[in-house]
Amino acid sequence: MRGTYAAMGPQRILFITPNFPPYAQAGAARTGALALHWARQGHKVTVIGARIGTASGIHTEIDHPNLTTAMLPIDKSEPQVSQGRGESGRKPASKPGKLKRWLWLARQMPDRFRAYWVPRAVEKAIELGGAEAFDLVYSSGPPHSVHIAAGQIASATGLPWICEQRDLWVDNPYIERHPFLTRYYEWQGRRVQRHADAFVAVTAGARDMLRKQTGKQVVLARNGWVESDFEGLEAPPAPLDPDRLTIIHAGLIYAERRDPKALFEAIDMLGEDRHKVRAIFYHDEYGFLDQRISQYGVAESVEVHEFLPRSEVLAVERAADVLLMCRWPDPAEDDVIPGKLFEYIGARRPILATGLESGEAAKIVREGDFGIATQDAEKIAAQLRSWIASKEAGGGRIPDLPANAAMAFTRDEAFAAVDDLVERLAST
C-alpha cells in the first residue's frame, strides 16, 4: 500500500452520489467503499444521496463516526392525485401530445434525478454550510444528474470539484436513444464537464476518452474488492452443491449484450455430463434468460433467482465453484470492466468470462491467472470438464485461487490515486 494515506491531512469532503448504501443499486458498491475509505483515514465525509426505493435492501447501511448522510427523495413530495373523476373531481388525464412528451423527455435528461433531486441536493449543500463547511466537492455517477448538482454547488461555493464517472456520460456505447435526444444528452454532458476541475475514471479507456473530451487531468482509479467484505468468509465453506459444478452469475444481465449464450452452448456440448453442471443467475432482464434457456435446451442445468442482499451474495460466491462474468462481444466493450470482476477476484474462485475476448477485463482475468476469458463454446466446454474433474478430485470443492494475486486488486490500492487528487485540490 502506498504512503499517501499517512501524508494526507484530514479533509471535509462533500460527496454527491445518489447511489449510496443502503439505497445503492447492485452495481454501485464503489460509492460506499470510497466514503468508508475516506472516513477511516480521518476525513469528515458528508454524503448527499437519494432514497431509491427499488435499491433498498441490496446493500447494508454504513456506520462510521466520520460519515454523515442526507438521503433526499427523487420525486415530487406531494401525493399523487387520483385519476378517477369520482375521487378527485377531475377528468382522467388525456394522453400527452408529441411536443409535451418531447419536453418531458428533455426535462428528464440526463436521467430522472434531474427534475427534483438536483435542486434538493444543491439546496441541501448550501444549507449544510457550503464553502464554510467543506473543502471539496466530489461527485460520482451515474446517474449523471449528480454532476449537474455538483457543478452548481461548486459554482455557488467556489469549492474545487472532482467529477468521477463510473460510466462515461459522453460517447458511452451502452446509451441508446433517439438521435436527437442523444445529441442533446451528449451536448449537455460536455457542457457540464467543462466546469469540473479534475476527473476520475475506472478504466484506462475511459480515462483516455475523458482526457480527449475535456483536456483536463483525469486519474485512473479502477474498482476493486474490499477485504472487510469477506470478513468471516476466509475459510473454505461447504460447497453450494457437492455433486454438481456450481456456476454463479451475481451481476446484471443486459439483454442481447451481456449474454451467457456461449456458456449455454458449452453446457449443451457436454452431452450426458450436462447434469453435472448447475448455473445459477441472480438477475434477468425482461425474461431474456428464460428465452435463452429455452433456445439452448438447458433448463435442467440453469436456474434464475431474484437479487440477494450483497452480504448473502458474497457468501454464495465463496461457496460456488465458478463465477460467471458475461461481457458484450463487441469492440465497444474493450474499455468496460464490470465492477463484479473485482468482487469475484476477492472471492478467490475461478472466473469464467464470456463475450469479448479482448479488452481490459479479459486481460485482467488472463494475466492474473484468475480463470478463462473466451466466447468459444468448445473451449468453455473443455474447461467445464476440467473443473468437474477438479471438483471430484477435491472432494466436492475446487481449491481457492492464491490470495497474493487477489491483493493487487483491493479498493484501497485503487483509491490511492483518488487520495492524491483530493489532497492536491483540497489544499488549493
PDB file of all heavy atoms in Angstrom, residues 370-397:
ATOM      1  N   PHE A 370      -6.761 -15.828 -13.198  1.00  0.00           N
ATOM      2  CA  PHE A 370      -7.988 -15.956 -12.415  1.00  0.00           C
ATOM      3  C   PHE A 370      -9.008 -16.894 -13.061  1.00  0.00           C
ATOM      4  O   PHE A 370     -10.027 -17.198 -12.439  1.00  0.00           O
ATOM      5  CB  PHE A 370      -8.624 -14.586 -12.205  1.00  0.00           C
ATOM      6  CG  PHE A 370      -7.779 -13.647 -11.393  1.00  0.00           C
ATOM      7  CD1 PHE A 370      -7.374 -12.428 -11.917  1.00  0.00           C
ATOM      8  CD2 PHE A 370      -7.381 -13.980 -10.109  1.00  0.00           C
ATOM      9  CE1 PHE A 370      -6.588 -11.549 -11.177  1.00  0.00           C
ATOM     10  CE2 PHE A 370      -6.596 -13.117  -9.355  1.00  0.00           C
ATOM     11  CZ  PHE A 370      -6.193 -11.900  -9.886  1.00  0.00           C
ATOM     12  N   GLY A 371      -8.759 -17.312 -14.299  1.00  0.00           N
ATOM     13  CA  GLY A 371      -9.723 -18.174 -14.958  1.00  0.00           C
ATOM     14  C   GLY A 371      -9.546 -18.142 -16.453  1.00  0.00           C
ATOM     15  O   GLY A 371      -8.428 -18.043 -16.970  1.00  0.00           O
ATOM     16  N   ILE A 372     -10.668 -18.158 -17.182  1.00  0.00           N
ATOM     17  CA  ILE A 372     -10.661 -18.213 -18.637  1.00  0.00           C
ATOM     18  C   ILE A 372     -11.560 -17.111 -19.191  1.00  0.00           C
ATOM     19  O   ILE A 372     -12.625 -16.831 -18.637  1.00  0.00           O
ATOM     20  CB  ILE A 372     -11.134 -19.605 -19.139  1.00  0.00           C
ATOM     21  CG1 ILE A 372     -11.128 -19.677 -20.667  1.00  0.00           C
ATOM     22  CG2 ILE A 372     -12.494 -19.959 -18.567  1.00  0.00           C
ATOM     23  CD1 ILE A 372     -11.459 -21.066 -21.206  1.00  0.00           C
ATOM     24  N   ALA A 373     -11.112 -16.466 -20.290  1.00  0.00           N
ATOM     25  CA  ALA A 373     -11.897 -15.422 -20.949  1.00  0.00           C
ATOM     26  C   ALA A 373     -12.027 -15.786 -22.420  1.00  0.00           C
ATOM     27  O   ALA A 373     -11.061 -15.674 -23.182  1.00  0.00           O
ATOM     28  CB  ALA A 373     -11.233 -14.057 -20.786  1.00  0.00           C
ATOM     29  N   THR A 374     -13.204 -16.248 -22.825  1.00  0.00           N
ATOM     30  CA  THR A 374     -13.408 -16.673 -24.201  1.00  0.00           C
ATOM     31  C   THR A 374     -14.888 -16.699 -24.539  1.00  0.00           C
ATOM     32  O   THR A 374     -15.735 -16.846 -23.654  1.00  0.00           O
ATOM     33  CB  THR A 374     -12.799 -18.070 -24.440  1.00  0.00           C
ATOM     34  OG1 THR A 374     -12.972 -18.436 -25.815  1.00  0.00           O
ATOM     35  CG2 THR A 374     -13.479 -19.123 -23.566  1.00  0.00           C
ATOM     36  N   GLN A 375     -15.184 -16.571 -25.821  1.00  0.00           N
ATOM     37  CA  GLN A 375     -16.541 -16.719 -26.332  1.00  0.00           C
ATOM     38  C   GLN A 375     -16.678 -18.037 -27.093  1.00  0.00           C
ATOM     39  O   GLN A 375     -17.751 -18.351 -27.593  1.00  0.00           O
ATOM     40  CB  GLN A 375     -16.887 -15.521 -27.237  1.00  0.00           C
ATOM     41  CG  GLN A 375     -18.310 -15.470 -27.783  1.00  0.00           C
ATOM     42  CD  GLN A 375     -19.363 -15.154 -26.739  1.00  0.00           C
ATOM     43  OE1 GLN A 375     -19.090 -15.082 -25.556  1.00  0.00           O
ATOM     44  NE2 GLN A 375     -20.609 -14.966 -27.177  1.00  0.00           N
ATOM     45  N   ASP A 376     -15.618 -18.817 -27.127  1.00  0.00           N
ATOM     46  CA  ASP A 376     -15.595 -20.078 -27.862  1.00  0.00           C
ATOM     47  C   ASP A 376     -16.247 -21.169 -27.010  1.00  0.00           C
ATOM     48  O   ASP A 376     -15.701 -21.579 -25.981  1.00  0.00           O
ATOM     49  CB  ASP A 376     -14.144 -20.447 -28.185  1.00  0.00           C
ATOM     50  CG  ASP A 376     -14.030 -21.648 -29.112  1.00  0.00           C
ATOM     51  OD1 ASP A 376     -14.826 -22.599 -28.950  1.00  0.00           O
ATOM     52  OD2 ASP A 376     -13.138 -21.642 -29.985  1.00  0.00           O
ATOM     53  N   ALA A 377     -17.409 -21.644 -27.436  1.00  0.00           N
ATOM     54  CA  ALA A 377     -18.161 -22.620 -26.640  1.00  0.00           C
ATOM     55  C   ALA A 377     -17.382 -23.923 -26.458  1.00  0.00           C
ATOM     56  O   ALA A 377     -17.485 -24.574 -25.406  1.00  0.00           O
ATOM     57  CB  ALA A 377     -19.515 -22.890 -27.298  1.00  0.00           C
ATOM     58  N   GLU A 378     -16.602 -24.331 -27.470  1.00  0.00           N
ATOM     59  CA  GLU A 378     -15.836 -25.569 -27.335  1.00  0.00           C
ATOM     60  C   GLU A 378     -14.762 -25.438 -26.257  1.00  0.00           C
ATOM     61  O   GLU A 378     -14.538 -26.377 -25.476  1.00  0.00           O
ATOM     62  CB  GLU A 378     -15.207 -25.934 -28.683  1.00  0.00           C
ATOM     63  CG  GLU A 378     -16.221 -26.372 -29.731  1.00  0.00           C
ATOM     64  CD  GLU A 378     -15.555 -26.876 -30.996  1.00  0.00           C
ATOM     65  OE1 GLU A 378     -14.298 -26.849 -31.067  1.00  0.00           O
ATOM     66  OE2 GLU A 378     -16.275 -27.299 -31.923  1.00  0.00           O
ATOM     67  N   LYS A 379     -14.100 -24.288 -26.204  1.00  0.00           N
ATOM     68  CA  LYS A 379     -13.101 -24.068 -25.156  1.00  0.00           C
ATOM     69  C   LYS A 379     -13.756 -24.044 -23.771  1.00  0.00           C
ATOM     70  O   LYS A 379     -13.204 -24.553 -22.795  1.00  0.00           O
ATOM     71  CB  LYS A 379     -12.358 -22.756 -25.400  1.00  0.00           C
ATOM     72  CG  LYS A 379     -11.436 -22.768 -26.611  1.00  0.00           C
ATOM     73  CD  LYS A 379     -10.744 -21.429 -26.773  1.00  0.00           C
ATOM     74  CE  LYS A 379      -9.821 -21.430 -27.995  1.00  0.00           C
ATOM     75  NZ  LYS A 379      -9.151 -20.109 -28.193  1.00  0.00           N
ATOM     76  N   ILE A 380     -14.937 -23.436 -23.696  1.00  0.00           N
ATOM     77  CA  ILE A 380     -15.649 -23.391 -22.417  1.00  0.00           C
ATOM     78  C   ILE A 380     -16.059 -24.799 -21.996  1.00  0.00           C
ATOM     79  O   ILE A 380     -15.917 -25.176 -20.823  1.00  0.00           O
ATOM     80  CB  ILE A 380     -16.880 -22.471 -22.517  1.00  0.00           C
ATOM     81  CG1 ILE A 380     -16.446 -21.023 -22.765  1.00  0.00           C
ATOM     82  CG2 ILE A 380     -17.720 -22.558 -21.235  1.00  0.00           C
ATOM     83  CD1 ILE A 380     -17.595 -20.077 -23.045  1.00  0.00           C
ATOM     84  N   ALA A 381     -16.540 -25.598 -22.937  1.00  0.00           N
ATOM     85  CA  ALA A 381     -16.929 -26.972 -22.619  1.00  0.00           C
ATOM     86  C   ALA A 381     -15.733 -27.765 -22.092  1.00  0.00           C
ATOM     87  O   ALA A 381     -15.855 -28.527 -21.118  1.00  0.00           O
ATOM     88  CB  ALA A 381     -17.523 -27.652 -23.849  1.00  0.00           C
ATOM     89  N   ALA A 382     -14.568 -27.590 -22.721  1.00  0.00           N
ATOM     90  CA  ALA A 382     -13.363 -28.287 -22.261  1.00  0.00           C
ATOM     91  C   ALA A 382     -12.987 -27.831 -20.853  1.00  0.00           C
ATOM     92  O   ALA A 382     -12.585 -28.645 -20.004  1.00  0.00           O
ATOM     93  CB  ALA A 382     -12.211 -28.034 -23.237  1.00  0.00           C
ATOM     94  N   GLN A 383     -13.133 -26.526 -20.588  1.00  0.00           N
ATOM     95  CA  GLN A 383     -12.808 -26.015 -19.258  1.00  0.00           C
ATOM     96  C   GLN A 383     -13.807 -26.529 -18.216  1.00  0.00           C
ATOM     97  O   GLN A 383     -13.436 -26.840 -17.080  1.00  0.00           O
ATOM     98  CB  GLN A 383     -12.811 -24.493 -19.270  1.00  0.00           C
ATOM     99  CG  GLN A 383     -12.413 -23.849 -17.950  1.00  0.00           C
ATOM    100  CD  GLN A 383     -10.997 -24.214 -17.532  1.00  0.00           C
ATOM    101  OE1 GLN A 383     -10.044 -23.849 -18.212  1.00  0.00           O
ATOM    102  NE2 GLN A 383     -10.848 -24.923 -16.429  1.00  0.00           N
ATOM    103  N   LEU A 384     -15.077 -26.632 -18.592  1.00  0.00           N
ATOM    104  CA  LEU A 384     -16.082 -27.173 -17.670  1.00  0.00           C
ATOM    105  C   LEU A 384     -15.725 -28.611 -17.276  1.00  0.00           C
ATOM    106  O   LEU A 384     -15.816 -28.984 -16.097  1.00  0.00           O
ATOM    107  CB  LEU A 384     -17.471 -27.131 -18.299  1.00  0.00           C
ATOM    108  CG  LEU A 384     -18.083 -25.741 -18.551  1.00  0.00           C
ATOM    109  CD1 LEU A 384     -19.451 -25.879 -19.208  1.00  0.00           C
ATOM    110  CD2 LEU A 384     -18.200 -24.931 -17.266  1.00  0.00           C
ATOM    111  N   ARG A 385     -15.301 -29.402 -18.251  1.00  0.00           N
ATOM    112  CA  ARG A 385     -14.905 -30.782 -17.945  1.00  0.00           C
ATOM    113  C   ARG A 385     -13.706 -30.802 -16.996  1.00  0.00           C
ATOM    114  O   ARG A 385     -13.628 -31.633 -16.075  1.00  0.00           O
ATOM    115  CB  ARG A 385     -14.581 -31.534 -19.232  1.00  0.00           C
ATOM    116  CG  ARG A 385     -15.808 -31.802 -20.107  1.00  0.00           C
ATOM    117  CD  ARG A 385     -15.458 -32.767 -21.254  1.00  0.00           C
ATOM    118  NE  ARG A 385     -16.640 -33.082 -22.041  1.00  0.00           N
ATOM    119  CZ  ARG A 385     -16.978 -32.465 -23.171  1.00  0.00           C
ATOM    120  NH1 ARG A 385     -16.213 -31.458 -23.629  1.00  0.00           N
ATOM    121  NH2 ARG A 385     -18.065 -32.818 -23.836  1.00  0.00           N
ATOM    122  N   SER A 386     -12.765 -29.875 -17.217  1.00  0.00           N
ATOM    123  CA  SER A 386     -11.591 -29.803 -16.338  1.00  0.00           C
ATOM    124  C   SER A 386     -12.000 -29.418 -14.914  1.00  0.00           C
ATOM    125  O   SER A 386     -11.502 -29.994 -13.938  1.00  0.00           O
ATOM    126  CB  SER A 386     -10.592 -28.783 -16.899  1.00  0.00           C
ATOM    127  OG  SER A 386      -9.490 -28.612 -16.033  1.00  0.00           O
ATOM    128  N   TRP A 387     -12.906 -28.443 -14.807  1.00  0.00           N
ATOM    129  CA  TRP A 387     -13.367 -28.041 -13.473  1.00  0.00           C
ATOM    130  C   TRP A 387     -14.160 -29.159 -12.794  1.00  0.00           C
ATOM    131  O   TRP A 387     -14.061 -29.354 -11.579  1.00  0.00           O
ATOM    132  CB  TRP A 387     -14.221 -26.780 -13.578  1.00  0.00           C
ATOM    133  CG  TRP A 387     -13.410 -25.513 -13.663  1.00  0.00           C
ATOM    134  CD1 TRP A 387     -12.203 -25.257 -13.083  1.00  0.00           C
ATOM    135  CD2 TRP A 387     -13.761 -24.320 -14.380  1.00  0.00           C
ATOM    136  NE1 TRP A 387     -11.766 -23.978 -13.386  1.00  0.00           N
ATOM    137  CE2 TRP A 387     -12.712 -23.386 -14.177  1.00  0.00           C
ATOM    138  CE3 TRP A 387     -14.850 -23.949 -15.172  1.00  0.00           C
ATOM    139  CZ2 TRP A 387     -12.734 -22.103 -14.725  1.00  0.00           C
ATOM    140  CZ3 TRP A 387     -14.859 -22.673 -15.725  1.00  0.00           C
ATOM    141  CH2 TRP A 387     -13.826 -21.761 -15.502  1.00  0.00           C
ATOM    142  N   ILE A 388     -14.963 -29.888 -13.561  1.00  0.00           N
ATOM    143  CA  ILE A 388     -15.720 -31.013 -12.992  1.00  0.00           C
ATOM    144  C   ILE A 388     -14.752 -32.045 -12.414  1.00  0.00           C
ATOM    145  O   ILE A 388     -14.943 -32.555 -11.299  1.00  0.00           O
ATOM    146  CB  ILE A 388     -16.629 -31.647 -14.064  1.00  0.00           C
ATOM    147  CG1 ILE A 388     -17.782 -30.691 -14.406  1.00  0.00           C
ATOM    148  CG2 ILE A 388     -17.190 -32.990 -13.567  1.00  0.00           C
ATOM    149  CD1 ILE A 388     -18.589 -31.124 -15.634  1.00  0.00           C
ATOM    150  N   ALA A 389     -13.683 -32.341 -13.153  1.00  0.00           N
ATOM    151  CA  ALA A 389     -12.689 -33.304 -12.675  1.00  0.00           C
ATOM    152  C   ALA A 389     -11.991 -32.790 -11.422  1.00  0.00           C
ATOM    153  O   ALA A 389     -11.744 -33.553 -10.477  1.00  0.00           O
ATOM    154  CB  ALA A 389     -11.666 -33.582 -13.784  1.00  0.00           C
ATOM    155  N   SER A 390     -11.671 -31.482 -11.393  1.00  0.00           N
ATOM    156  CA  SER A 390     -11.030 -30.891 -10.219  1.00  0.00           C
ATOM    157  C   SER A 390     -11.945 -30.950  -9.005  1.00  0.00           C
ATOM    158  O   SER A 390     -11.497 -31.222  -7.888  1.00  0.00           O
ATOM    159  CB  SER A 390     -10.633 -29.447 -10.519  1.00  0.00           C
ATOM    160  OG  SER A 390     -10.071 -28.827  -9.389  1.00  0.00           O
ATOM    161  N   LYS A 391     -13.227 -30.708  -9.217  1.00  0.00           N
ATOM    162  CA  LYS A 391     -14.191 -30.756  -8.122  1.00  0.00           C
ATOM    163  C   LYS A 391     -14.301 -32.173  -7.562  1.00  0.00           C
ATOM    164  O   LYS A 391     -14.310 -32.377  -6.338  1.00  0.00           O
ATOM    165  CB  LYS A 391     -15.556 -30.273  -8.628  1.00  0.00           C
ATOM    166  CG  LYS A 391     -16.665 -30.258  -7.570  1.00  0.00           C
ATOM    167  CD  LYS A 391     -17.959 -29.757  -8.191  1.00  0.00           C
ATOM    168  CE  LYS A 391     -19.124 -29.790  -7.187  1.00  0.00           C
ATOM    169  NZ  LYS A 391     -18.982 -28.752  -6.133  1.00  0.00           N
ATOM    170  N   GLU A 392     -14.360 -33.152  -8.448  1.00  0.00           N
ATOM    171  CA  GLU A 392     -14.459 -34.538  -7.995  1.00  0.00           C
ATOM    172  C   GLU A 392     -13.202 -34.964  -7.257  1.00  0.00           C
ATOM    173  O   GLU A 392     -13.276 -35.647  -6.219  1.00  0.00           O
ATOM    174  CB  GLU A 392     -14.728 -35.452  -9.193  1.00  0.00           C
ATOM    175  CG  GLU A 392     -16.111 -35.246  -9.801  1.00  0.00           C
ATOM    176  CD  GLU A 392     -16.312 -36.020 -11.098  1.00  0.00           C
ATOM    177  OE1 GLU A 392     -15.312 -36.540 -11.638  1.00  0.00           O
ATOM    178  OE2 GLU A 392     -17.471 -36.102 -11.575  1.00  0.00           O
ATOM    179  N   ALA A 393     -12.038 -34.521  -7.743  1.00  0.00           N
ATOM    180  CA  ALA A 393     -10.777 -34.874  -7.089  1.00  0.00           C
ATOM    181  C   ALA A 393     -10.631 -34.171  -5.739  1.00  0.00           C
ATOM    182  O   ALA A 393      -9.961 -34.688  -4.831  1.00  0.00           O
ATOM    183  CB  ALA A 393      -9.600 -34.517  -7.989  1.00  0.00           C
ATOM    184  N   GLY A 394     -11.266 -33.002  -5.605  1.00  0.00           N
ATOM    185  CA  GLY A 394     -11.165 -32.227  -4.361  1.00  0.00           C
ATOM    186  C   GLY A 394     -12.234 -32.549  -3.346  1.00  0.00           C
ATOM    187  O   GLY A 394     -12.407 -31.783  -2.385  1.00  0.00           O
ATOM    188  N   GLY A 395     -12.973 -33.600  -3.566  1.00  0.00           N
ATOM    189  CA  GLY A 395     -13.996 -33.980  -2.607  1.00  0.00           C
ATOM    190  C   GLY A 395     -15.223 -33.100  -2.631  1.00  0.00           C
ATOM    191  O   GLY A 395     -15.905 -32.959  -1.604  1.00  0.00           O
ATOM    192  N   GLY A 396     -15.509 -32.492  -3.765  1.00  0.00           N
ATOM    193  CA  GLY A 396     -16.717 -31.683  -3.896  1.00  0.00           C
ATOM    194  C   GLY A 396     -16.470 -30.196  -3.965  1.00  0.00           C
ATOM    195  O   GLY A 396     -17.422 -29.417  -4.093  1.00  0.00           O
ATOM    196  N   ARG A 397     -15.204 -29.759  -3.897  1.00  0.00           N
ATOM    197  CA  ARG A 397     -14.903 -28.323  -3.956  1.00  0.00           C
ATOM    198  C   ARG A 397     -13.606 -28.078  -4.713  1.00  0.00           C
ATOM    199  O   ARG A 397     -12.587 -28.732  -4.442  1.00  0.00           O
ATOM    200  CB  ARG A 397     -14.793 -27.726  -2.547  1.00  0.00           C
ATOM    201  CG  ARG A 397     -14.434 -26.241  -2.539  1.00  0.00           C
ATOM    202  CD  ARG A 397     -14.396 -25.676  -1.123  1.00  0.00           C
ATOM    203  NE  ARG A 397     -13.782 -24.347  -1.095  1.00  0.00           N
ATOM    204  CZ  ARG A 397     -14.408 -23.212  -1.362  1.00  0.00           C
ATOM    205  NH1 ARG A 397     -15.692 -23.240  -1.659  1.00  0.00           N
ATOM    206  NH2 ARG A 397     -13.780 -22.059  -1.321  1.00  0.00           N
TER     207      ARG A 397
END
